Amino acid sequence: QDHPVNNEIAIIKEEIVRVGDILVRMRDSDLPEPPEEGHVSLNRTIHELFKLFENSLFKSQQIKTTLELDEAIPMLTTGGGAIKQVVMNLVKNAVEAMPEGGTLQVLTRDKIHKNGALYVELQVCDDGPGMPEQVLSKLFEPVASTKPNHSGLGLTIVKNLLDRLSAEIFCSSSASSGTRFQILLPRIVERIDTD
């Protein structure tokens, strides 16, 4: 009961249930169900996923990781499961883009101002070979994947989940600098009643 691996097993069980729910919803509908409300710590979600991937994905693929997380980011009142799925998909895509190994960087920043609104920024960057223009032009559309055992829906799911959170996603990619996904999540925090 006290073994250190129990925490990781609990995370894996939680992920299996969550992914199973997503698959059931996708079978019944073209889009995932609206993300659940609740409090989520973006940085803690990233730390948990990186701990989960440390031995199973990063070491086996010779991936070096860098985290630059803004500790000032508050708890967000938004879909925690959706954010976790987005980070998982982007991290797995980044690792797959670096079959010879490479560096994966995840960055968060608080209080990004855009058109009078406040956002929290999430960036997932790799130093892989970049994506060709024909892939970039249809990045978030369902495609027939060339990867074995892949549906080609990963980035479509990411875009749909972010749309439901009223979040924005941008991508830049080149052979010289790799690929960078930038996400702006609305900075929705719980209001504290001062009456």
Side-chain angles (χ1 to χ4, degrees), residues 32-33 35 82 85-86 156-165:
E33 189 176 282
Q85 185 67 45
V86 165
T156 305
I157 291 171
V158 165
K159 180 72 166 69
N160 290 336
L161 290 171
L162 291 173
D163 285 348
R164 290 173 183 266
L165 293 174

Side-chain angles (χ1 to χ4, degrees), residues 123-141:
Q123 287 189 31
V124 178
C125 315
D126 67 63
D127 61 358
M131 291 183 273
E133 189 58 43
Q134 65 267 27
V135 173
L136 282 169
S137 65
K138 298 183 179 182
L139 198 57
F140 300 108
E141 297 175 16

Side-chain angles (χ1 to χ4, degrees), residues 30-188:
D30 290 336
L31 299 177
E33 189 176 282
E36 74 280 4
E37 292 301 312
H39 297 87
V40 59
S41 166
L42 178 60
N43 291 342
R44 185 167 61 230
T45 297
I46 292 166
H47 277 298
E48 286 175 356
L49 288 174
F50 268 56
K51 185 174 182 181
L52 190 63
F53 287 148
E54 182 60 37
N55 292 314
S56 63
L57 191 62
F58 299 150
K59 282 186 182 174
S60 65
Q61 300 294 320
Q62 300 176 352
I63 302 296
K64 296 175 186 170
T65 59
T66 304
L67 294 177
E68 293 181 28
L69 308 181
D70 185 344
E71 298 302 328
I73 295 174
M75 295 287 282
L76 303 175
T77 52
T78 187
I83 290 174
K84 187 179 285 189
Q85 185 67 45
V86 165
V87 175
M88 283 179 69
N89 283 17
L90 292 179
V91 165
K92 287 178 76 177
N93 278 0
V95 170
E96 288 168 2
M98 301 181 287
E100 310 290 316
T103 301
L104 168 70
Q105 179 186 33
V106 174
L107 174 146
T108 60
R109 286 191 301 173
D110 193 18
K111 294 187 178 176
I112 304 298
H113 294 262
K114 182 183 176 200
N115 297 330
L118 267 180
Y119 294 86
V120 169
E121 180 184 29
L122 164 66
Q123 287 189 31
V124 178
C125 315
D126 67 63
D127 61 358
M131 291 183 273
E133 189 58 43
Q134 65 267 27
V135 173
L136 282 169
S137 65
K138 298 183 179 182
L139 198 57
F140 300 108
E141 297 175 16
V143 294
S145 178
T146 56
K147 303 177 206 168
N149 304 317
H150 280 263
S151 64
L153 289 173
L155 289 177
T156 305
I157 291 171
V158 165
K159 180 72 166 69
N160 290 336
L161 290 171
L162 291 173
D163 285 348
R164 290 173 183 266
L165 293 174
S166 299
E168 299 181 48
I169 184 167
F170 310 93
C171 179
S172 60
S173 187
S174 72
S176 60
S177 61
T179 301
R180 175 185 306 266
F181 283 94
Q182 178 190 29
I183 293 168
L184 296 180
L185 294 163
R187 193 181 188 275
I188 303 170

